[in-house]
Amino acid sequence: MYEIGKRWQENKISVADEHLATATCDYVLTRFQLSQHQLLQRHRALLFCIEGEEHYLGIKMIAGLMREQDGS
């Protein structure tokens, strides 16, 4: 996603291309998380972005890692 952002900033790709890349990454993360076994969660955390922030993929990855760690 860093490279996508860099290319968008350099005007090498369009906003639509950036949104497609983000949606594709989101889909892959969701599929990966759904393929993991649903384990009993012992801990809870609240993860959020500030109002108006639309860059959520990093926090979604952290949530997946926390779920994975909680199950081990």
Side-chain angles (χ1 to χ4, degrees):
M1 291 309 301
Y2 173 83
E3 185 64 31
I4 295 296
K6 183 179 168 192
R7 288 181 186 200
W8 174 79
Q9 188 175 19
E10 294 171 348
N11 240 2
K12 292 181 179 176
I13 63 171
S14 69
V15 172
D17 292 327
E18 186 273 334
H19 287 183
L20 178 60
T22 300
T24 301
C25 186
D26 188 9
Y27 175 78
V28 169
L29 286 170
T30 300
R31 293 288 296 183
F32 177 76
Q33 290 173 0
L34 291 176
S35 70
Q36 301 297 311
H37 293 100
Q38 296 296 326
L39 302 168
L40 178 62
Q41 295 181 4
R42 296 178 298 247
H43 302 98
R44 292 181 184 233
L46 177 63
L47 306 173
F48 58 92
C49 296
I50 60 172
E51 185 177 356
E53 178 59 59
E54 297 182 18
H55 297 96
Y56 61 89
L57 290 178
I59 213 163
K60 187 171 186 168
M61 287 188 271
I62 296 292
L65 289 171
M66 291 176 81
R67 272 191 216 100
E68 189 175 304
Q69 288 295 319
D70 195 39
S72 52

